[in-house]
């Protein structure tokens, strides 16, 4: 089931080699780095592990490296046992980790901020271009062998110049999207935590309430973390406040959008279209969305470049090595 390499420092429980449980395949440089300090166990399965498989894998581990689809709850921490020192999440968001439960056990939790900012921002703009210019729709038409000819009214889309991009969450990724939006001639409004005057001025970004953003924006792009407060932030009431010509883009977390309410809004013409990289119940997608030409769907590709995924994995590995060798975490999450 697993492949592992034992190296005898640092020592774990009972003076045995420290052990690192990795829940999925990582880039080679990250695994090589982990193997310099411990025995590394990686499942052969090319899929998310079940809860039982996760508990079995982490039992007795000194460190655990997880991804966004691995639920790190009290049961998993209990299964790991007292040797566990760090949970390294290969992602920026950490809604999959019970940070409070980790804090109760004195565990360090880390994430991978910064390294995936540009890749995710690029994808957000790419999704926006695809849905507004009907690129995926045209691609499907050609692949289906549908007859066509150039006409001045053929597959007309929506331009971005002069339009307002509403950004929900002006963190690192939100700011990177705003920079790209300016290059396309868009105006930027944002909501969420207020940025500094310097950031607002550098991005020509205008702070507005959530209600005002939904009413004013031609494009709404989600970049907030998933919390109890943001779960189903985009619900039926939110879609009712958007322009009927507006588009939604989500590269944050799936449950921020009520997919059923989104499908209802699209069917009713309450908004013009949507582009989603994340979903409420991944890998499941609301079936009605699959049948809609004005919806562009991607299978969670926000950080999916070779360079970015490698950097994410290496940063997670560096956090583990640093904690196990007593130097402290590089990018810790506080509870």
């Amino acid at each position: 089931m697993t492949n592992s390499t034992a190296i005898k420092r640092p020592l774990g429980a009972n003076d045995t080699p420290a052990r690192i449980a990795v829940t999925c395949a990582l880039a080679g440089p990250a695994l090589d780095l982990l193997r310099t300090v411990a025995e590394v166990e990686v499942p052969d399965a090319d899929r998310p592990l079940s809860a039982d498989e996760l508990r079995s894998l982490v039992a007795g581990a000194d460190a655990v490296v997880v991804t966004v689809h691995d639920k790190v709850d009290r049961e998993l921490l209990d299964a790991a046992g007292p040797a566990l020192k760090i949970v390294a999440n290969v992602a920026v968001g950490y809604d999959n980790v019970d940070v409070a439960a980790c804090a109760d056990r004195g565990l360090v939790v880390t994430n991978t901020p910064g390294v995936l900012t540009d890749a995710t921002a690029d994808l957000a703009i790419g999704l926006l271009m695809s849905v507004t210019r009907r690129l995926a729709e045209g691609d499907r038409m050609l692949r289906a062998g549908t007859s066509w000819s150039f006409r001045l009214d053929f597959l007309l889309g929506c331009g971005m110049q002069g339009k307002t991009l509403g950004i929900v969450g002006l963190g690192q990724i939100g700011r990177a999207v705003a920079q790209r939006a300016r290059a396309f001639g868009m105006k930027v409004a944002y909501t969420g935590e207020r940025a500094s005057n310097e950031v607002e001025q550098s991005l020509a970004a205008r702070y507005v309430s959530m209600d005002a953003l939904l009413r004013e924006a031609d494009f709404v792009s989600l970049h907030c973390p998933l919390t109890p407060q943001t779960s189903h932030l985009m619900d039926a009431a939110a879609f009712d406040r958007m322009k009927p010509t507006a588009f939604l883009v989500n590269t944050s977390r799936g449950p921020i959008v009520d997919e059923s309410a989104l499908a209802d809004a699209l069917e009713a013409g309450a908004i013009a279209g949507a582009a989603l990289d994340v979903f409420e119940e991944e890998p499941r997608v609301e079936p009605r969305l699959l049948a809609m030409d004005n919806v562009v769907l991607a299978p969670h590709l926000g950080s999916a470049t070779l360079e970015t995924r490698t950097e994410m994995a290496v940063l997670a590995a560096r956090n583990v090595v640093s904690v196990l060798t007593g130097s402290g975490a590089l990018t810790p999450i506080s509870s």
Side-chain angles (χ1 to χ4, degrees):
M1 174 184 175
T2 61
N3 58 72
S4 61
T5 301
I7 296 191
K8 295 186 180 298
R9 65 178 188 88
L11 294 180
N14 302 319
D15 292 335
T16 59
R19 177 173 167 271
I20 301 169
V22 180
T23 65
C24 69
L26 290 184
L31 289 175
D32 290 343
L33 180 56
L34 292 173
R35 286 169 176 150
T36 64
V37 298
E39 174 183 292
V40 179
E41 188 168 1
V42 187
D44 290 333
D46 187 20
R47 56 172 174 75
L49 300 181
S50 68
D52 286 342
E53 289 172 324
L54 281 172
R55 287 192 289 267
S56 176
L57 175 68
V58 305
D62 296 86
V64 177
V65 181
V66 300
T67 69
V68 294
H69 292 301
D70 300 318
K71 185 177 181 181
V72 181
D73 55 14
R74 293 181 185 274
E75 287 187 358
L76 186 71
L77 298 176
D78 287 342
L84 188 62
K85 301 174 182 66
I86 175 175
V87 175
N89 202 39
V90 188
V92 173
Y94 46 89
D95 47 277
N96 58 308
V97 179
D98 188 335
V99 178
C102 291
D104 289 344
R105 290 163 169 77
L107 304 178
V108 177
V109 180
T110 63
N111 65 343
T112 58
V115 296
L116 50 72
T117 298
D118 286 332
T120 306
D122 287 347
L123 187 78
I125 294 297
L127 287 171
L128 179 58
M129 292 182 66
S130 183
V131 70
T132 57
R133 293 298 303 274
R134 303 173 69 175
L135 300 180
E137 185 179 349
D139 179 82
R140 288 192 297 270
M141 187 191 74
L142 293 177
R143 293 179 187 276
T146 304
S147 177
W148 69 282
S149 63
F150 176 83
R151 302 188 312 272
L152 292 179
D153 61 351
F154 178 61
L155 279 184
L156 295 182
C158 169
M160 296 190 292
Q161 295 75 18
K163 302 291 176 61
T164 296
L165 174 66
I167 296 176
V168 181
L170 200 68
Q172 288 186 343
I173 297 172
R175 292 196 296 270
V177 171
Q179 290 174 335
R180 287 155 174 77
R182 290 188 64 199
F184 280 94
M186 286 184 270
K187 296 176 286 187
V188 176
Y190 79 97
T191 195
E193 186 175 339
R194 187 79 185 253
S196 67
N197 288 336
E198 291 76 15
V199 168
E200 289 186 349
Q201 291 171 7
S202 68
L203 298 173
R206 178 171 54 94
Y207 181 81
V208 296
S209 68
M210 182 67 177
D211 184 70
L213 182 140
L214 293 173
R215 295 185 186 283
E216 297 174 14
D218 299 291
F219 318 119
V220 174
S221 191
L222 305 179
H223 301 286
C224 53
L226 175 61
T227 66
Q229 292 72 38
T230 62
S231 179
H232 280 195
L233 178 70
M234 298 303 298
D235 58 9
F239 296 126
D240 284 344
R241 294 198 295 275
M242 291 174 65
K243 296 179 179 180
T245 54
F247 294 82
L248 174 72
V249 178
N250 187 14
T251 55
S252 184
R253 286 290 185 265
I256 295 172
V257 176
D258 182 336
E259 285 182 23
S260 180
L262 173 59
D264 289 342
L266 290 165
E267 288 176 344
I271 66 172
L276 309 175
D277 183 47
V278 288
F279 307 94
E280 277 194 87
E281 301 175 4
E282 292 183 15
R284 179 188 177 275
V285 180
E286 161 64 45
R288 288 180 291 165
L289 297 177
L290 296 170
M292 295 179 176
D293 278 332
N294 58 342
V295 176
V296 173
L297 305 169
H300 206 142
L301 299 179
S303 62
T305 70
L306 176 62
E307 297 86 355
T308 299
R309 291 279 172 86
T310 299
E311 285 189 70
M312 291 168 65
V314 168
L315 179 53
R318 289 175 60 211
N319 271 298
V320 169
V321 169
S322 188
V323 168
L324 291 187
T325 56
S327 298
L330 305 175
T331 55
I333 295 165
S334 63
S335 58

